[in-house]
Amino acid sequence: MAATSSTFALHSTVASAGRRPRDRVSAYQPLPSGGLGWLRFVFFVFVARPILFFLMGLDVHHRERLPPKGPAVLVANHNSHFDTMALLLVLPLATLRRARPVAAADYFDKPTLFGWFVRHIIGVVFVPRTGARGDVLAPIVEALRAGDVVIFFPEGTRGQPGEMAPFKSGLGKLLERCPDVPAIPIHLRGVERVLPRGAIVPLPLVCDVTIGEAMWKTGDARSFVESVRDRLDRLARTRHVARTSAEVAQ
Amino acid sequence: MATLQPHSAWVAEGILLLLLLATGVIWARSRGREAEGEQVELKKRVRTFWVIAAAVLGSLALGRGTSVVFFSLVSFLALREFLTIVPLGNRRILFVAYAVLAVQYALVYEEMTIASLLFVPLAGLVLIPSGLVLAGETTGFVRTSSALVFGLLVTVYGPGFLPLLLSLPRGVNPAAGPAGIVLLVVLLVQLNDVAQYLWGRSLGRRRIAPRVSPNKTVAGFVGGAFTTAALSLAMAPLLTSLDRAPAAVFGLLLAVSGFFGDLLMSAVKRDIGLKDTAQTLPGHGGVLDRIDSLIYAAPAAFLGLRFLTS
């Protein structure tokens, strides 16, 4: 199950014996500039956004809480490959240019056209999922130092539809090293119906994107991660209340 | 590139002037003060109305083909909202619903009028249940098939009569073109909403359907209907070939059908426990919220023109 998931789970840095060749710590790669940077921009604005406009209606709540510029970590729940797309869609153009999803190296970092696309156009920061030697967080820390907006799924896997899996502690460890960088919790609902695990054809539906207030690292890594999780849980519920007829009975 | 015929162009300009006036009033009233609460909503509402007016008038001006494409997009967004708020078990059958939408608008585009009148009900009778049968879906069979057929009727079949009005042989005033009919129907139905609200707020006491929509009052309904009839009396002879008396009847017809379409969507949302179907249109809610009064009014206009014109 975990082997097919898209994002990374952070494990401690000690290497295990059965290490696969690709589970190395990838060197930090800055976002493409120049021609490739423009290609990236053109792809998002003129290809991805128009197509996704049909596939996913996005109801964005508290858009004003999105960071106007980096560095920042967008933290979201994860159920679908389209989660990343939903987040990239709601960002203002200036932020979009610096947006970089974090994803598992073993799954996405491939020497194919797909791998090239993921690396240069989507701008993914690769991290090893299991048993890597060395500092696995280094590429993300570098990206944040460069002022990038990093998209991070602390569940580490897409998990069960509509449910939040336990959070890994990687997010806390990351922000321990970048205490000035805000974490923006973002709750996604309905994306798992557009493209569930295992599905190939997306079904057009409306999704809710609820953006929470920025959080800064406090306490130890584990408790911080839990507080982010609580915030996401709360975002999931507040959204629901705002829509019930009871509140707008008049 | 096609443009609107003179009478339709006048009305289009009138709509834009009305919006300009509304924007001016809001701007003047909120000047120097931080807008808050209701004011913010009103501002959003008017801004969205600009977008809606630009889209509707623009597509009508560009001709029948563009208008059909535009209305198919509206239907698509409405169906997408419906399928979101009414979650149904079988995922595959939902693709069939989108396919029905595509075929229906293709028929409208090709001006195959009789086929487009029959297709959605027949697809609801045959394709949707058969699809579920083939999928081997027996749990919730009745619920899923009925909800899907209902969704298609509400988001595709009903509103789909609007672009069909552009291919009508009857009712066209040469000085307004076929676009005049659509313009009249959309404008009257929207103004009926406003008139109903204003009459209801100033005189309304007795509620018509307190459990479904507490805002709807007898005074609002009656006042709105007469206002719409009067507006139709003034505008329908300009935009269509309707005479004065049939024009007033046409206005009443739109007012009554618009009212029930509105109540229909209120009941759906009440059932699910939602206020709006989405937030696609700031200040209005979802597309389905905005077109609710057209669900019955569009077919009513189609039939009305059939029997009220000679």
Side-chain angles (χ1 to χ4, degrees):
Chain A
M1 283 282 271
T4 59
S5 71
S6 62
T7 42
F8 91 116
L10 269 183
H11 292 272
S12 301
T13 51
V14 186
S16 67
R19 190 156 64 91
R20 279 166 298 173
R22 226 183 292 289
D23 282 354
R24 65 193 187 278
V25 175
S26 323
Y28 167 73
Q29 183 155 15
L31 276 173
S33 54
L36 208 53
W38 274 107
L39 193 62
R40 184 169 190 255
F41 184 76
V42 166
F43 168 75
F44 277 120
V45 176
F46 295 102
V47 182
R49 285 198 175 188
I51 293 175
L52 289 165
F53 170 80
F54 285 96
L55 297 182
M56 271 194 287
L58 292 178
D59 281 359
V60 187
H61 312 279
H62 296 291
R63 194 185 281 275
E64 77 284 353
R65 291 176 180 169
L66 284 170
K69 59 186 181 64
V73 183
L74 309 183
V75 185
N77 55 320
H78 197 24
N79 281 125
S80 165
H81 279 321
F82 267 29
D83 288 338
T84 310
M85 288 299 158
L87 291 172
L88 290 174
L89 266 176
V90 301
L91 292 177
L93 289 184
T95 318
L96 177 68
R97 297 185 74 135
R98 296 231 63 107
R100 316 196 60 179
V102 172
D106 61 279
Y107 193 70
F108 286 106
D109 190 9
K110 292 177 179 156
T112 56
L113 188 64
F114 172 74
W116 179 88
F117 180 80
V118 166
R119 177 183 288 270
H120 296 288
I121 302 298
I122 309 285
V124 164
V125 180
F126 294 111
V127 290
R129 187 149 34 185
T130 47
R133 203 186 295 274
D135 183 2
V136 289
L137 288 175
I140 314 177
V141 174
E142 285 289 321
L144 288 173
R145 289 212 178 113
D148 292 346
V149 175
V150 169
I151 295 173
F152 197 98
F153 299 107
E155 288 164 273
T157 163
R158 284 172 295 166
Q160 294 303 308
E163 278 176 32
M164 248 197 282
F167 282 15
K168 317 276 183 191
S169 57
L171 176 69
K173 289 175 186 161
L174 174 67
L175 290 175
E176 211 149 57
R177 290 164 67 176
C178 313
D180 297 332
V181 175
I184 321 286
I186 301 180
H187 184 263
L188 302 170
R189 184 214 305 265
V191 188
E192 76 280 359
R193 284 184 70 208
V194 174
L195 191 75
R197 241 184 134 124
I200 298 165
V201 187
L203 175 75
L205 290 171
V206 184
C207 309
D208 285 311
V209 180
T210 316
I211 297 149
E213 278 163 351
M215 299 172 78
W216 280 269
K217 166 82 172 58
T218 48
D220 65 282
R222 191 68 235 170
S223 68
F224 176 70
V225 168
E226 287 309 317
S227 67
V228 174
R229 191 196 158 84
D230 287 347
R231 184 70 67 84
L232 281 176
D233 267 331
R234 216 161 53 230
L235 287 177
R237 286 196 305 272
T238 41
R239 176 74 202 86
H240 191 66
V241 172
R243 254 207 194 180
T244 53
S245 50
E247 198 186 74
V248 281
Q250 61 85 38
Chain B
M1 192 179 286
T3 47
L4 291 173
Q5 302 293 313
H7 287 186
S8 295
W10 297 345
V11 173
E13 284 157 17
I15 293 172
L16 295 178
L17 264 175
L18 212 63
L19 275 177
L20 209 59
L21 193 72
T23 311
V25 168
I26 287 178
W27 183 78
R29 268 174 51 183
S30 67
R31 203 155 56 119
R33 278 181 295 137
E34 191 68 30
E36 54 188 38
E38 216 169 291
Q39 194 89 37
V40 177
E41 279 304 297
L42 198 64
K43 262 187 167 171
K44 276 195 214 160
R45 241 192 133 108
V46 171
R47 200 176 308 154
T48 305
F49 260 131
W50 276 107
V51 178
I52 295 173
V56 173
L57 298 177
S59 66
L60 283 176
L62 287 175
R64 201 187 67 88
T66 318
S67 305
V68 176
V69 173
F70 169 72
F71 286 115
S72 73
L73 182 66
V74 172
S75 260
F76 169 77
L77 295 176
L79 178 61
R80 190 172 76 178
E81 285 169 10
F82 183 88
L83 296 180
T84 302
I85 62 170
V86 182
L88 300 167
N90 190 295
R91 180 179 149 87
R92 278 199 198 155
I93 200 73
L94 304 187
F95 288 105
V96 177
Y98 284 114
V100 170
L101 179 143
V103 171
Q104 170 68 3
Y105 276 92
L107 293 173
V108 173
Y109 190 92
E110 294 295 332
E111 298 193 280
M112 300 167 84
T113 309
I114 293 177
S116 59
L117 290 175
L118 292 173
F119 180 66
V120 177
L122 284 181
L125 179 67
V126 180
L127 289 184
I128 301 287
S130 307
L132 279 171
V133 167
L134 287 179
E137 193 78 42
T138 48
T139 39
F141 177 83
V142 173
R143 184 184 172 273
T144 304
S145 49
S146 347
L148 263 186
V149 174
F150 175 74
L152 283 171
L153 290 177
V154 163
T155 61
V156 181
Y157 191 59
F161 277 88
L162 223 40
L164 216 52
L165 292 175
L166 292 170
S167 323
L168 271 189
R170 294 189 193 206
V172 179
N173 180 341
I181 300 173
V182 175
L183 214 50
L184 179 74
V185 172
V186 173
L187 187 62
L188 284 184
V189 169
Q190 297 299 323
L191 288 177
N192 181 58
D193 280 358
V194 178
Q196 245 181 49
Y197 170 77
L198 293 177
W199 280 105
R201 213 174 64 162
S202 46
L203 292 176
R205 268 207 312 274
R206 259 192 51 207
R207 291 169 168 178
I208 295 179
R211 290 180 56 187
V212 177
S213 185
N215 287 330
K216 300 274 182 291
T217 60
V218 176
F221 174 63
V222 174
F226 278 102
T227 309
T228 307
L231 284 170
S232 183
L233 193 66
M235 286 165 51
L238 261 179
L239 291 168
T240 67
S241 67
L242 285 170
D243 280 332
R244 298 218 162 258
V249 176
F250 191 66
L252 278 178
L253 189 66
L254 290 183
V256 174
S257 54
F259 174 79
F260 279 101
D262 196 341
L263 275 186
L264 168 83
M265 275 321 294
S266 296
V268 169
K269 288 180 280 186
R270 220 12 85 117
D271 181 17
I272 299 164
L274 298 176
K275 175 186 171 264
D276 295 327
T277 55
Q279 300 197 339
T280 320
L281 306 170
H284 296 255
V287 172
L288 197 44
D289 295 312
R290 189 62 271 158
I291 65 163
D292 55 6
S293 7
L294 284 164
I295 296 168
Y296 294 156
F302 185 89
L303 289 175
L305 283 173
R306 170 73 181 72
F307 293 109
L308 291 170
T309 55
S310 43

